[in-house]
Amino acid sequence: MTDSHCFDTSRLDALFAPRSIAVVGASDQASKIGGIPLDYLLRFGYGGALYAVNPRASRVQGLPAHERLAAIGAPVDLAIVAVPQSQVAGVLEDAAAARVQSMVLFSSGYAETGSDGTAAQQALARRAQEAGIRLIGPNCLGFMRPGHQVYATFSPAPGGGLVRPGRIGMVSQSGAFGAYAYSLARERGLGLSLWATTGNEADVQLADGLAWLAQDPETDVIMAYMEGCRDGPRLRAALALAQERGKPVVMCKVGTSALGAAAAASHTASLAGNDAVYDAVFRRYGVLRAHSITDFFALAASASIARAPKGRSIGLFTVSGGVGAMMADDASAAGLDVAPLSDAAQRQLREWVPFAAPRNPVDITGQVTNDMTLLERSARLMLADRQFDSWLGFFAAGGLSDAFWPVLQSLVQTLRTHHPDTLLAVSTLCPPERRDALEALGCLVFADPGAAIRCIGALARLHETPQALPAMADAGSALHLPAGTLSEQRSMALLAEAGVPVVPHRLVRTAAEAAQAVQAAQEMGGRIVLKVCSDAIAHKSDVGGVALNLTDAAGAQAAFDRILANARQARPDAHIDGALAAPMVQGGVECIAGVHRDPVFGPVLMFGLGGIHAEILRDVSLRLLPITRDDALAMVRELRAFAVLDGARGRPRVDLDSIADTLCALAGFAQRAGATLESAEINPLIARPREDGGCVAVDALVIGREAA
């Protein structure tokens, strides 16, 4: 695992902060791909050295034209390459000879075209690495740094108007989305420090852009659009760096990766799901995930305007009772705490407005139009009473009113002065210049109160994400697993050695031994289960290899013969060790716990309730390894059906500590096995009250893999 990996992004400075730029394939026509970036750089005032490379021209857009990069005779930090794919290899050799530091490659015809293109792209990446050239692309739209007038792009978006320089960095794997997002940022009035598209990512990946922005003193908030990830450790390291530097990352992740689609023989991988693993990654590093373009920009703008609230309490103020009820519902869904005001504060509000709803949300009603001092008095009373972490006021179309605007502006100024640590937000319709004035005071402005609450809820999570990642647990000596599926007996033995509580069991090789097992169980007043035991049979019930509730010797002997005959008929090629005999576990709550190796991000731990909760409702929680014990407890508590474990409707409360200990033991086993583990699953894990012995693994399946 490489969470502690340190990114060396210094070599990206020549790419994103070039002191000299050469455009290769420069065109005199500003409408062509080779002409657009040169036109932008000239028109928008790039201050560094600028060169045009075109062997068939003497001058291009007023600049002297050079035959090749090596002919420039001066250092070139960045080469913008706009030539057909057939010419790229020659340009790269020229760049290597000229000691160019970095390249933006617009050219297509690489991995996006198939296997031949993939091979050409790999060769390109190898040669660039040998030459010490950082390469962004191919098949990309380039990048822009508005505050430095660097426009290494052929996107038409800047031609429609420039985004203002600011402190939000944006990286997109998609050029088309990136151009769209640039235009949206311009219309929304967001200021950008960097806009970059990574294309095919032969060298520079989205993660590299994130890491560079995390260390960029001109960037406070990072926006990222991702379609997939090939290098999970690289992405994790970049997100860890952003978290360490206190820079919120707003991520719009779309689609699923084919790499994460393959499921192991256990349920764990399929229950986790590719997108759920990304969610676990984002949760670990405090990433704010946006599920719509609207939220993508709202979250980024909010994070750049206001500091994250220190907690989840929120005061809701409204001039409409109906909207107040909607806000309360939205706040509950967002996990915010809508705590009521004290009785004294509620009495005071009723003295001012007898028909007000003073609890929280506070509905001061339309009376505010008769006495506008009510607005500030009520809001200050709310915050003085409860010291809410966030406060949101709904004022309908009041922001459009010339009479109401000074009152609203004064309210925000007063609240900001007296409550500097409270996140302030208002929901109202208002023109852009008024929105800008309130945002300059650190107050968020939304037309939709629901969007405001979603953003506040997301920002509140930033303070809840641990800033220090858990250290890799001391997992003891390394464990090398054999490749392939291990029998239940071998799986249970490995997990028991790792500290997982497993049900007592024994391998029986004959019908007579099965009879002895049931006789021993009878003396304890219980029943046994027999399960066929074979490395080649992962799912025993599928082959008729399970017999339940055995209580007498004759029945056990018959069951032993039957399940082995069933297994041999279904899998004549399988070597069968015998049958596993174990006591039937009565009561408790059936759960499932497992760890599987995600092909992108490595080992992922999963926990959920068994049966319908996991299979149909997919009520499971996930964590990347390593985990802390607090992580394990949080996994249990965040299940939607947690109440089932916590003693709902008079059920006995299960031993949550024993579940957490088991999850930690399972995680430790995965760490010891390292790259030789494909998956390990306990299904079912029976959760019981402490007085009944806590949780116990009833069945287990471990699958090993060949380490690379």
Side-chain angles (χ1 to χ4, degrees):
M1 201 56 56
T2 57
D3 284 5
S4 60
H5 168 78
C6 294
F7 262 99
D8 178 12
T9 58
S10 59
R11 290 179 58 219
L12 291 179
D13 290 342
L15 175 66
F16 293 134
R19 294 165 297 179
S20 55
I21 300 175
V23 180
V24 182
S27 172
D28 214 31
Q29 298 182 42
S31 59
K32 289 191 172 182
I33 290 178
I36 293 172
L38 189 58
D39 172 56
Y40 286 164
L41 291 163
L42 290 167
R43 183 156 39 119
F44 301 141
Y46 172 64
L50 184 59
Y51 308 102
V53 176
N54 186 329
R56 295 185 298 275
S58 58
R59 299 189 71 82
V60 177
Q61 296 190 34
L63 294 177
H66 300 271
E67 184 177 359
R68 46 202 293 264
L69 287 165
I72 292 173
V76 174
D77 283 346
L78 171 64
I80 301 172
V81 181
V83 300
Q85 192 259 10
S86 60
Q87 299 178 24
V88 169
V91 171
L92 181 55
E93 292 303 324
D94 182 28
R99 297 188 178 181
V100 170
Q101 299 296 303
S102 63
M103 289 176 59
V104 173
L105 184 55
F106 298 153
S107 312
S108 58
Y110 288 93
E112 79 280 5
T113 65
S115 58
D116 289 345
T118 298
Q121 181 171 305
Q122 292 171 345
L124 178 74
R126 284 194 299 270
R127 184 64 187 104
Q129 184 178 27
E130 291 169 359
I133 297 173
R134 295 309 306 264
L135 170 68
I136 190 167
N139 191 35
C140 77
L141 207 54
F143 75 92
M144 297 177 262
R145 285 196 77 199
H148 296 257
Q149 294 77 46
V150 176
Y151 290 86
T153 182
F154 65 95
S155 168
L162 297 182
V163 73
R164 66 180 180 84
R167 303 193 65 81
I168 299 176
M170 182 186 297
V171 186
S172 172
Q173 288 182 325
S174 165
F177 180 86
Y180 176 60
Y182 177 93
S183 300
L184 289 178
R186 181 184 61 220
E187 298 307 312
R188 174 61 179 81
L190 296 185
L192 299 183
S193 59
L194 174 73
W195 174 94
T197 65
T198 56
N200 288 9
E201 298 189 342
D203 172 26
V204 175
Q205 299 180 13
L206 178 132
D208 298 290
L210 298 182
W212 189 84
L213 288 169
Q215 299 176 93
D216 176 30
E218 299 179 15
T219 299
D220 294 331
V221 177
I222 302 169
M223 299 176 73
Y225 176 88
M226 179 170 31
E227 295 173 345
C229 175
R230 299 192 308 273
D231 189 339
R234 197 168 179 174
L235 178 62
R236 290 182 65 171
L239 295 176
L241 184 59
Q243 185 182 46
E244 176 188 317
R245 299 298 176 94
K247 297 190 179 183
V249 176
V250 182
M251 182 75 71
C252 185
K253 163 69 177 67
V254 298
T256 57
S257 168
L259 286 173
S266 69
H267 293 84
T268 304
S270 58
L271 284 173
N274 179 254
D275 199 57
V277 173
Y278 276 99
D279 267 339
V281 173
F282 297 156
R283 185 188 305 113
R284 164 63 61 87
Y285 301 104
V287 174
L288 305 178
R289 185 171 186 180
H291 293 280
S292 70
I293 293 175
T294 299
D295 285 353
F296 187 45
F297 282 90
L299 282 169
S302 298
S304 68
I305 293 165
R307 288 181 294 180
K310 295 182 178 180
R312 304 197 72 81
S313 67
I314 186 169
L316 300 173
F317 182 92
T318 179
V319 295
S320 164
V323 173
M326 291 171 58
M327 290 197 298
D329 290 343
D330 289 340
S332 177
L336 296 173
D337 178 16
V338 189
L341 298 184
S342 68
D343 291 342
Q346 292 187 49
R347 284 195 300 272
Q348 179 64 75
L349 287 168
R350 284 201 184 95
E351 286 181 15
W352 292 341
V353 182
F355 41 85
R359 184 175 168 82
N360 187 20
V362 170
D363 176 16
I364 208 67
T365 77
Q367 185 65 19
V368 71
T369 59
N370 295 323
D371 181 2
M372 289 195 180
T373 67
L374 280 171
L375 182 64
E376 190 170 308
R377 282 189 285 150
S378 302
R380 291 191 64 178
L381 175 64
M382 290 178 69
L383 288 171
D385 183 62
R386 285 297 187 209
Q387 295 295 321
F388 292 110
D389 299 309
S390 303
W391 182 89
L392 169 64
F394 173 74
F395 304 111
L400 297 173
S401 166
D402 291 339
F404 184 74
W405 167 242
V407 178
L408 179 58
Q409 193 173 28
S410 173
L411 168 71
V412 173
Q413 288 173 330
T414 299
L415 295 183
R416 176 52 65 229
T417 298
H418 292 281
H419 301 278
D421 294 329
T422 300
L423 185 149
L424 300 178
V426 298
S427 175
T428 186
L429 300 179
C430 63
E433 61 273 12
R434 290 181 177 176
R435 180 196 67 206
D436 292 346
L438 295 179
E439 289 180 347
L441 295 171
C443 177
L444 307 181
V445 182
F446 297 85
D448 174 13
I453 288 172
R454 287 196 301 275
C455 280
I456 294 170
L459 291 175
R461 291 197 296 271
L462 291 176
H463 271 300
E464 296 169 1
T465 303
Q467 294 303 302
L469 294 175
M472 184 69 78
D474 181 7
S477 59
L479 175 66
H480 185 89
L481 299 177
T485 302
L486 305 187
S487 71
E488 182 180 353
Q489 181 199 26
R490 297 172 72 189
S491 297
M492 294 280 264
L494 285 167
L495 294 180
E497 182 184 357
V500 173
V502 303
V503 68
H505 58 278
R506 59 178 286 200
L507 180 67
V508 295
R509 301 181 184 277
T510 67
E513 289 181 354
Q516 292 171 0
V518 79
Q519 287 171 344
Q522 278 181 313
E523 294 173 4
M524 302 294 294
R527 308 176 179 192
I528 72 163
V529 56
L530 285 177
K531 296 175 281 185
V532 67
C533 187
S534 170
D535 285 348
I537 301 176
H539 302 300
K540 298 170 284 291
S541 58
D542 291 351
V543 300
V546 179
L548 305 173
N549 293 310
L550 302 175
T551 59
D552 60 83
Q557 288 179 315
F560 179 88
D561 291 336
R562 183 177 66 254
I563 65 174
L564 262 67
N566 290 341
R568 289 185 176 116
Q569 182 177 3
R571 292 294 307 275
D573 59 322
H575 172 77
I576 296 175
D577 300 323
L580 208 65
M584 297 286 292
V585 177
Q586 304 298 319
V589 179
E590 185 176 316
C591 302
I592 181 172
V595 60
H596 86 282
R597 176 166 297 280
D598 182 84
V600 176
F601 294 106
V604 179
L605 184 68
M606 182 273 291
F607 175 75
L609 267 62
I612 188 173
H613 294 286
E615 296 290 351
I616 297 177
L617 301 180
R618 304 185 75 82
D619 185 14
V620 298
S621 56
L622 304 175
R623 290 294 186 278
L624 301 179
L625 298 189
I627 65 163
T628 64
R629 196 170 185 282
D630 286 343
D631 288 327
L633 282 170
M635 290 179 70
V636 179
R637 293 182 178 278
E638 70 190 29
L639 295 179
R640 296 192 298 274
F642 171 68
V644 175
L645 300 171
D646 203 35
R649 293 180 176 258
R651 295 171 181 243
R653 187 173 186 266
V654 308
D655 185 357
L656 302 180
D657 287 330
S658 73
I659 298 177
D661 290 340
T662 297
L663 292 174
C664 289
L666 187 58
F669 169 74
Q671 290 173 216
R672 287 181 59 210
T676 67
L677 176 69
E678 182 63 38
S679 68
E681 180 173 285
I682 305 169
N683 184 20
L685 175 72
I686 304 298
R688 302 176 298 183
R690 183 170 300 175
E691 56 270 22
D692 292 339
C695 69
V696 61
V698 173
D699 200 341
L701 176 67
V702 172
I703 302 175
R705 67 190 288 267
E706 291 287 351

